[in-house]
Amino acid sequence: MKKLILILPIMALAACGEEPAPAALETAAPVEVVELPAPDQELFTAVFAETCPDAEPVATAVCRRGMGAPTVACEFGLGDDDVLRHDATLNIDDTGEGWMLADAENICSEHDSHHVDN
């Protein structure tokens, strides 16, 4: 029993001297933060009109963007409709300096003033 009592402090001291090496800190790749301001109703109206010239004009729009996000979610109403009945997403354009409608072909065909619903 005495031997066990003498060995325990030695084992404890040996364990104290063997600290694990600190783990290498992983550095995350820098996240690209987009500097473009979130579109307001005026900007969304202009992008929509330019992209979908055959659609009714935007009457109202509300766009929301997460901080630094590369996309913007917009709800909008067309013509005389002030209700936010429609949804669209804006992406950063190819130049990286402006906004464009995501899935523009479908958005425009859906809201084309010549479009007839069955």
Side-chain angles (χ1 to χ4, degrees):
M1 184 74 171
K2 287 184 182 182
K3 288 182 183 180
L4 184 60
I5 293 175
L6 293 175
I7 294 176
L8 286 177
I10 293 172
M11 290 176 61
L13 286 175
C16 290
E18 293 182 22
E19 292 181 23
L25 296 176
E26 291 183 30
T27 56
V31 176
E32 182 180 338
V33 176
V34 179
E35 297 289 330
L36 293 173
D40 56 10
Q41 179 173 328
E42 183 180 346
L43 185 102
F44 178 81
T45 300
V47 169
F48 187 84
E50 183 179 319
T51 308
C52 304
D54 293 331
E56 291 184 89
V58 172
T60 187
V62 174
C63 296
R64 293 175 184 89
R65 176 182 179 203
M67 184 185 254
T71 61
V72 176
C74 297
E75 296 177 295
F76 61 100
L78 297 173
D80 296 330
D81 193 357
D82 287 335
V83 179
L84 303 171
R85 298 181 194 278
H86 311 285
D87 297 313
T89 300
L90 296 179
N91 290 332
I92 297 173
D93 68 13
D94 296 333
T95 67
E97 297 176 7
W99 296 102
M100 66 182 195
L101 274 177
D103 198 18
E105 187 176 323
N106 285 332
I107 296 287
C108 292
S109 67
E110 183 179 324
H111 300 295
D112 186 344
S113 61
H114 304 300
H115 179 76
V116 178
D117 288 322
N118 291 336

